[in-house]
Structure formats: structure tokens, C-alpha cells
Amino acid sequence: MDRAELAGMLGGQTRACEPARAALLGGGEFVVWDGSVPSQQLANVYAARLRRARSRGTETLALPSTVDILTRLEAVQVRIGRIFSPDRTWAFMLFLADDASAILACTGVRRAER
């Protein structure tokens, strides 16, 4: 998948999509991995990440709505992608249809300074 194709799929699925699109078009590093994962497994993983982010005060974008979307998908297989902002301060996780034809949800997390 190329940068323009991925950018074209980032719409209004969640409020993290526009910042993710800007990071992508600004030259941020991106990947869409091969293979897929059951949406319920991802919903559980990202619900735990949401709890951790809240307890640590980590800034996120659209993490609660992404968990809701993944939960509602029930038994659907989902592909995963990631975009880093050009300065690598944000990481955006993308959840795509199994055939990578559409983005189902997108969330962002501000990365901890190291």
C-alpha cells in the first residue's frame, strides 16, 4: 500500500484520522502489516491500553471510540497499520478491513519522551 492510497482512506472514522493523515502526508513513517487479528482480541488489548493510558495520564486521541468500534465488530478479522508523526511524538494505530480496502478505526498516542 502506498502513502497516497492510505491517506485517501483516512476520513472521519475517528477524530484521530485527520492528525494521522497530516502525519502521513507530512512524511511520517508508516506500515500496514500482513495478516489479520480478530477484532475482539484487539478490543481487549486496546481496552487495557486505554486503562493504562488513563492511569498514567498519557495523552491519546480517539482511543475510547476505537475500542468501541473494535468491540462492535465482533468476530471480524482486522489488519493493523501504524503511522508515526514526522517528529515521532505521536504514534497512530490504524485498524483496517481484512482486505485493506478501508480503515475502520484510528487512534493516536503521544509517545513518552526518552
Side-chain angles (χ1 to χ4, degrees):
M1 176 172 303
D2 68 28
R3 188 175 299 272
E5 183 180 8
L6 187 57
M9 286 193 274
L10 281 160
Q13 295 89 342
T14 68
R15 68 182 187 93
C17 289
E18 186 54 39
R21 185 175 190 277
L24 182 64
L25 294 176
E29 176 187 326
F30 75 98
V31 63
V32 175
W33 288 286
D34 292 330
S36 58
V37 180
S39 59
Q40 286 306 296
Q41 182 178 343
L42 291 170
N44 293 335
V45 167
Y46 281 84
R49 289 182 181 183
L50 174 59
R51 288 189 299 274
R52 233 179 356 265
R54 285 179 172 160
S55 71
R56 294 178 179 168
T58 303
E59 186 177 358
T60 65
L61 288 173
L63 187 50
S65 58
T66 294
V67 170
D68 289 344
I69 291 167
L70 291 171
T71 300
R72 285 193 313 263
L73 291 174
E74 296 181 1
V76 174
Q77 291 291 113
V78 177
R79 287 184 66 179
I80 304 170
R82 182 191 64 218
I83 301 169
F84 282 125
S85 61
D87 62 3
R88 297 184 69 85
T89 58
W90 282 88
F92 298 94
M93 295 303 298
L94 312 175
F95 303 94
L96 298 92
D98 191 28
D99 64 0
S101 63
I103 293 176
L104 306 171
C106 173
T107 187
V109 64
R110 182 179 292 278
R111 300 182 72 212
E113 293 184 29
R114 296 185 178 182

